[in-house]
Amino acid sequence: MLTIALPKGSLLKDSIKLLQTVGLDFSAFLESGNRQLQITEPTGRAKALLVRAWDVPVYVEFGQAQLGVVGYDVLREKKSKVAQLVDLGFGSCRLSVAVKGSSSYQEPIELPAHGRVASKFVNCARDYFSNLDLPVEIVPLYGSVELGPITGMSEAIVDLVSTGRTLKENGLEEIAVLFESTARLVAHPLSYRLNSSGIAEIVEGLREATLTSAG
Amino acid sequence: MTVFQPPAGARDLLPLDVAQKQWIEHHLNAVFARWGYHQIVTSTLERLDMLMAGGAIDPNSVIQLQDPDDGLLGLRPELTASIARAAVTRLTGAAFPQRLYYNTNVFRREPHSRHGRQHEFHQAGVELLGAGGSMADAEILLLLSDCLTALELTGWKVVLGQADLTRSLLGSFPMGLRDRVRAAIAQLDRVALLEMEISEDQRARALALFELRGEPQAVLDKLDRFDLDAGQRQSLAGLAATIETLAASGSGTMLERLVLDLSTIETYDYYTGVVFAIVVETPTGPCVLGKGGRYDDLLGLYHPTGESRPGVGFGLCIEDLQQALQTGDRLPATTCATDWLVAPKTPAARAATHVHARQLRAENPDARVEVALEEIATSADVVSEYARRRRVQHLAWVAADGSVEVEALG
């Protein structure tokens, strides 16, 4: 049976709404008090796994799920070997460099050599600064990255920004954008090549639904 | 106390693993031999530059060793390079085509985060050297089909591409963009193709190439409608001839299981013609059992004066085959039972026990005959219990005077 990996958190609602357009109903995941991690769709055509966003590409890469919905930011950080089939348009945000508002840094290149940058996106941050030819120490953090510059542990952070409110409220200023991100429909490459469980038809349906909603 | 552990990624094969592995190898070797292939054994250790010459091997994936005299060496990650080297330097006087097969271990290092992933694998495969036509391509695919049929594997498929045709079709993209389009197609990154700064006409071509897969005849028909030059027409004709041969050779199996996929291309130039992956659907998702293809430029890299010969072949991963075959009842589920257990009735009969065991071995060369040693031969009950657990067929009690009583178990 077709298995789809869905991300917990901010992308879940839109993902479920999108799948409803091709007749796959996983809204049971949204019911309050839901504790199920795996549900089969009422018509029995597909099942879905509810996993952390960072784990979606893992389930898809190993083929336990043939399809998945996940942000481009996660795909880029994890360098996942999955097929990126559709830009779903929702979940827009950007990965940015931010510093303390009171600091004098206007651009990332002005950061001190061998300074510290805190981030959950260690690979993206490392690639970005290495392209700038600026040697920095990347400090991995898993949440509330904004505290890095506030406490003085790091000169800057590399973090996701959607509205910019969190940064502002914590006295931080965005000085550069690494890349923009949106949710992506991803597939297990081999399953896509073989068209296992009728993936192609579902993908085509989701692509059309995305184009319609964008139009 | 020191606990001696194997390195991460190492694996010991216990007797049952070995029995299953040998079952697979025995069936594959028999098919290879039936098609006229001869086994070749090459060195486990090769010079790193030799392994890398084909351009398909990432140096980080090779387990490297430093030799004070020979420089950087590596444990072979695959066999084709070694066989190509051996063929052009050692088989110079031999008549081509050469049909060679191998059944051996290979080593791969995981460069990234997958800690503890296996390092040593076993691979069986063939190389058909010195034959460049569509008959040779068809031979390799039909041989592959025979191998998988001999193993009674179900649910397998072959995803087939044509590397030189795909590469040539990519030639219509401007130099600067070609590698990016190729990488996006190889990695099935459709979003990248949509976002790339190319003309709408080029984008349409790239997307058409991206979706060029499915039932072989349908894909050939689609390709036929492409705006192709003479060289591309020739590649297409070769591919069509291979598929026609598969269809006409009575073995419908391969054709039914073939998915033609022109987006099957690597980001490096190694394969020069057909390129394929052997895939099986398992309850835990599809799994690649092996890969193959045509490499007409490889032998020239190893020839002293650059003289090349065409080559085509495939390799199957024994561990993945073993995994895929676990669901059926084809693999041996137990190690071989012991046919005879020879036990001394009394301590004085120990010498006579070995004499009788030797006699049994001489009379039944295929039988497994083991002797009950001091640890077991303490009482009749212990011996019987041991015999039962080892699934012994016959128990022979030997007395000090050499007389024997046989108990049939089994």
Side-chain angles (χ1 to χ4, degrees), chain A residues 61-64 66 81-87 182 184-185 188-194 196 204 207, chain B residues 114 157 159 185-191 195 210-211 213 259 261 263-264 279 281 284-288:
Chain A
E61 202 174 323
F62 281 84
Q64 268 61 54
Q66 291 86 44
K81 291 190 182 108
V82 295
Q84 288 188 51
L85 298 178
V86 185
D87 181 345
T182 45
R184 301 286 158 90
L185 178 70
H188 179 241
L190 205 51
S191 299
Y192 185 69
R193 289 188 192 281
L194 295 173
S196 314
E204 198 45 49
R207 186 176 291 149
Chain B
R114 301 227 181 134
K157 283 192 170 163
V159 182
I185 287 175
Q187 291 150 15
L188 290 179
D189 189 347
R190 195 174 188 276
V191 177
E195 287 175 351
F210 186 94
E211 298 294 357
R213 74 174 64 79
V259 175
D261 185 348
S263 72
T264 309
V279 183
E281 298 268 9
T284 54
C287 162
V288 176

Side-chain angles (χ1 to χ4, degrees), chain B residues 66-233:
Chain B
Q66 177 77 43
D67 183 274
D69 300 323
D70 270 343
L72 265 186
L73 305 179
L75 294 176
R76 60 177 171 214
E78 53 96 42
L79 263 291
T80 309
S82 303
I83 292 175
R85 170 191 58 70
V88 296
T89 56
R90 310 286 305 283
L91 288 171
T92 45
F96 280 85
Q98 279 284 325
R99 290 185 167 87
L100 302 169
Y101 81 85
Y102 58 89
N103 209 322
T104 190
N105 55 351
V106 294
F107 299 83
R108 234 166 290 143
R109 196 180 153 263
E110 279 301 320
H112 300 303
S113 54
R114 301 227 181 134
H115 185 73
R117 214 171 179 210
Q118 203 170 330
H119 275 158
E120 183 175 3
F121 302 85
H122 295 86
Q123 235 181 45
V126 296
E127 310 293 351
L128 171 51
L129 305 178
S134 60
M135 268 188 86
D137 291 346
E139 167 166 333
I140 287 296
L141 289 165
L142 290 170
L143 169 55
L144 171 64
S145 170
D146 269 11
C147 285
L148 301 175
T149 308
L151 297 174
E152 297 175 50
L153 186 75
T154 51
W156 57 271
K157 283 192 170 163
V158 169
V159 182
L160 177 77
Q162 171 82 356
D164 60 345
L165 180 53
T166 306
R167 201 153 47 230
S168 170
L169 290 170
L170 285 167
S172 68
F173 294 94
M175 269 301 263
L177 285 166
R178 202 174 297 161
D179 285 347
R180 284 175 58 203
V181 174
R182 178 172 173 169
I185 287 175
Q187 291 150 15
L188 290 179
D189 189 347
R190 195 174 188 276
V191 177
L193 290 180
L194 288 174
E195 287 175 351
M196 215 170 275
E197 319 76 49
I198 47 180
S199 72
E200 284 316 306
D201 190 41
Q202 285 169 339
R203 196 185 319 281
R205 275 189 80 101
L207 289 173
L209 197 49
F210 186 94
E211 298 294 357
L212 216 46
R213 74 174 64 79
E215 190 271 313
Q217 196 53 51
V219 176
L220 289 176
D221 291 347
K222 253 193 233 173
L223 256 172
D224 198 45
R225 289 193 292 272
F226 269 55
D227 177 20
L228 303 178
D229 65 27
Q232 292 165 341
R233 287 269 160 217

Side-chain angles (χ1 to χ4, degrees), chain B residues 234-317:
Chain B
Q234 204 182 338
S235 295
L236 177 58
L239 185 59
T242 304
I243 287 167
E244 201 178 311
T245 310
L246 295 181
S249 38
S251 150
T253 326
M254 178 48 92
L255 195 65
E256 288 157 21
R257 294 170 183 274
L258 202 63
V259 175
L260 194 54
D261 185 348
L262 268 293
S263 72
T264 309
I265 186 163
E266 308 283 358
T267 46
Y268 44 79
D269 294 332
Y270 174 84
Y271 291 112
T272 57
V274 287
V275 51
F276 54 91
I278 305 122
V279 183
V280 66
E281 298 268 9
T282 70
T284 54
C287 162
V288 176
L289 297 175
K291 282 185 173 180
R294 173 166 286 288
Y295 45 86
D296 289 351
D297 299 334
L298 187 69
L299 270 66
L301 295 174
Y302 299 114
H303 192 273
T305 57
E307 192 184 309
S308 198
R309 285 180 192 276
V312 60
F314 67 79
L316 289 165
C317 177

Side-chain angles (χ1 to χ4, degrees), chain B residues 5-24:
Chain B
Q5 287 189 329
R11 183 177 168 220
D12 300 314
L13 299 182
L14 300 179
L16 180 58
D17 290 317
V18 175
Q20 297 190 339
K21 180 172 168 289
Q22 285 178 340
W23 184 92
I24 295 170

